[in-house]
Amino acid sequence: MAQYFIGIIPPLHIYDEVIKVQKKYIKKLGVEPHITLKAQSCLTDDEQWIITVENIVRSTPKFNVKLSGTAYFGDIVLYLSIDSEELNHLHKNIVRELYVPKDEKQKYFEDENYVGHITIGKTTYPSGLSSNQLSVDDLRNMEKEINSNIKIKSFKVDSVWIYKKEENEYMRYKKINLK
């Protein structure tokens, strides 16, 4: 059974800084830096959902997102926080139109539980996407490097990507441009 998610790739200057820090601490990266727009729920093998997602994304105007610093989910996930009403609105439109059940929304932190972010590192990778564990100290060091190296704090979103998991790594599968 294939696994998918929908993500937004940050611009090269942010992407490169995140990759540089990640590669210093993580042996195998299972997915590139991205903002998760829509998690795996209701993204099925038949790919019928792609048409719905394309229609929503293509009718959505390009928008800006603002990086609002680093933050943590508990003390196990370090991320760059994203601030954008348009991002939240696009996420909720997709979740609504795909009829994601309440239990799936909770499991995948969608709809009202959605927090736009770019994951920098985690203390565990239960899905096997990464080959090593990070300590809390590693996350703190990664946080210092990210905060000192990322200078540009906002960017325009003009496309999203559907990712598909292949050989325990999420790869870009289909690009969809915003209006």
Side-chain angles (χ1 to χ4, degrees):
M1 182 167 143
Q3 290 184 318
Y4 305 85
F5 77 87
I6 304 168
I8 297 167
I9 300 169
L12 197 56
H13 61 279
I14 296 169
Y15 184 97
D16 285 347
E17 285 301 327
V18 172
I19 285 283
K20 182 174 78 174
V21 170
Q22 287 177 330
K23 285 186 174 181
K24 187 173 175 180
Y25 293 89
I26 303 169
K27 292 182 182 104
K28 176 190 172 286
L29 299 174
V31 65
E32 68 184 339
H34 67 277
I35 302 167
T36 300
L37 175 60
K38 170 73 186 77
Q40 297 90 337
S41 64
C42 294
L43 306 183
T44 55
D45 284 340
D46 64 14
E47 297 188 355
Q48 294 301 307
W49 52 270
I50 291 177
I51 295 165
T52 301
V53 170
E54 285 176 327
N55 289 335
I56 294 167
V57 171
R58 288 181 179 149
S59 67
T60 301
K62 297 171 184 158
F63 58 89
N64 288 317
V65 298
K66 179 182 163 198
L67 298 176
S68 50
T70 52
Y72 287 85
F73 294 125
D75 60 353
I76 61 171
V77 178
L78 168 65
Y79 64 91
L80 276 169
S81 185
I82 303 294
D83 184 25
S84 171
E85 286 301 316
E86 295 88 350
L87 174 69
N88 294 338
H89 183 68
L90 179 56
H91 164 79
K92 288 179 180 181
N93 282 346
I94 293 171
V95 168
R96 183 183 65 247
E97 292 300 317
L98 293 179
Y99 302 101
V100 177
K102 184 178 179 178
D103 63 324
E104 293 287 302
K105 289 177 188 176
Q106 291 174 334
K107 178 180 178 181
Y108 290 101
F109 301 97
E110 296 186 318
D111 200 25
E112 297 303 320
N113 300 315
Y114 176 71
V115 177
H117 68 281
I118 300 171
T119 300
I120 306 300
K122 303 178 182 184
T123 56
T124 60
Y125 290 85
S127 62
L129 287 177
S130 177
S131 57
N132 63 305
Q133 308 261 337
L134 297 175
S135 69
V136 173
D137 286 341
D138 289 335
L139 294 183
R140 300 281 186 237
N141 290 332
M142 293 171 86
E143 179 179 22
K144 288 176 192 168
E145 291 181 44
I146 287 292
N147 284 332
S148 65
N149 293 335
I150 293 183
K151 305 299 183 207
I152 297 176
K153 302 294 185 187
S154 67
F155 61 92
K156 184 174 284 298
V157 174
D158 59 9
S159 64
V160 305
W161 278 90
I162 295 172
Y163 287 81
K164 185 175 183 178
K165 193 173 185 182
E166 298 175 6
E167 298 180 20
N168 212 27
E169 184 173 353
Y170 280 100
M171 305 297 291
R172 294 180 196 182
Y173 182 64
K174 182 174 180 77
K175 184 178 182 180
I176 309 169
N177 291 319
L178 281 83
K179 181 164 81 171

